[in-house]
Amino acid sequence: QKEVEQNSGPLSVPEGAIASLNCTYSDRGSQSFFWYRQYSGKSPELIMFIYSNGDKEDGRFTAQLNKASQYVSLLIRDSQPSDSATYLCAVANNFGNEKLTFGTGTRLTIIP
Amino acid sequence: GAVVSQHPSRVICKSGTSVKIECRSLDFQATTMFWYRQFPKKSLMLMATSNEGSKATYEQGVEKDKFLINHASLTLSTLTVTSAHPEDSSFYICSARKGGVYEQYFGPGTRLTVT
């Protein structure tokens, strides 16, 4: 079982709709969760991080964390064509391990 | 802010030569820097973790004598690809982490082509 799993997509969403990206992780000791956006040919850019169960909102982005289900998601409201990218989920276990474990990413395409 | 730069952004070298890539944190002191490699349409692969003033910790399967990492200060880490071969052609990305937090901020990446 992969440590961090994401559906590779592609996920196609009409412009203006809500895009929902999902991620599951296997290590119950994981404490910190991150979403990165990566445009083709570019490096990842941090969008959001979440540490506590529940929702965290930042503009059009909402991260949702459910530690009991080992599930973290990213919602993008009012999707724009510029949101088309690969979204990487990353997890840290915070117990002296500085590394992030990345999922393979979900490719999102916003259809005008 | 948390800005990380990399230099060069793109490099072409001949097989057998060495290439040095610099990673700098511009507006913060990075307690830890990381080096990743990414092949086309593949996910990030962590190569090594680097702490200032100490030896880098390499991931399994990454040759430390081929990929030399030096972390001389809290704002600069370098990766030297020694005796490069065409199979080393890839997108090399560094990231940096501030003390006390776990999020990593990525540099823009260096695209290496070995001919």
Side-chain angles (χ1 to χ4, degrees), chain B residues 27-96:
Chain B
D27 54 358
F28 66 99
Q29 292 189 324
T31 55
T32 310
M33 287 183 168
F34 304 84
W35 287 96
Y36 294 84
R37 182 166 52 180
Q38 188 174 36
F39 292 106
K41 300 192 186 301
K42 299 293 184 183
S43 189
L44 293 170
M45 188 189 82
L46 179 65
M47 299 175 68
T49 301
S50 170
N51 290 291
E52 183 263 340
S54 61
K55 290 184 179 180
T57 301
Y58 290 81
E59 294 299 299
Q60 193 172 11
V62 178
E63 298 175 58
K64 63 180 181 181
D65 294 330
K66 179 170 181 63
F67 298 100
L68 301 178
I69 292 172
N70 184 286
H71 195 158
S73 75
L74 284 171
T75 59
L76 173 64
S77 177
T78 60
L79 167 69
T80 301
V81 183
T82 62
S83 187
H85 290 286
E87 56 265 32
D88 297 324
S89 298
S90 188
F91 191 40
Y92 291 85
I93 315 172
C94 73
S95 70

Side-chain angles (χ1 to χ4, degrees), chain A residues 64-81:
Chain A
Q64 299 176 315
L65 175 61
N66 184 325
K67 289 185 179 180
S69 300
Q70 295 175 242
Y71 175 93
V72 58
S73 65
L74 179 70
L75 301 178
I76 307 175
R77 288 182 299 282
D78 188 23
S79 297
Q80 303 296 309

Side-chain angles (χ1 to χ4, degrees), chain A:
Chain A
Q1 183 187 6
K2 292 182 182 176
E3 294 181 54
V4 179
E5 291 205 54
Q6 296 180 254
N7 188 319
S8 63
L11 174 66
S12 296
V13 172
E15 183 176 357
I18 296 175
S20 177
L21 303 159
N22 304 317
C23 173
T24 58
Y25 59 95
S26 60
D27 184 355
R28 280 201 171 274
S30 300
Q31 298 290 324
S32 306
F33 307 86
F34 307 86
W35 282 100
Y36 287 84
R37 177 177 63 199
Q38 187 174 23
Y39 292 113
S40 181
K42 303 294 184 182
S43 66
E45 172 192 8
L46 180 65
I47 298 176
M48 290 193 71
F49 56 86
I50 185 167
Y51 299 152
S52 304
N53 273 330
D55 294 2
K56 179 182 179 183
E57 189 174 316
D58 184 0
R60 295 187 296 112
F61 299 98
T62 299
Q64 299 176 315
L65 175 61
N66 184 325
K67 289 185 179 180
S69 300
Q70 295 175 242
Y71 175 93
V72 58
S73 65
L74 179 70
L75 301 178
I76 307 175
R77 288 182 299 282
D78 188 23
S79 297
Q80 303 296 309
S82 59
D83 295 326
S84 297
T86 296
Y87 289 80
L88 302 169
C89 171
V91 173
N93 66 27
N94 285 27
F95 294 118
N97 186 344
E98 302 171 296
K99 297 188 293 187
L100 294 181
T101 302
F102 283 86
T104 53
T106 297
R107 189 155 57 93
L108 173 67
T109 300
I110 305 302
I111 304 168

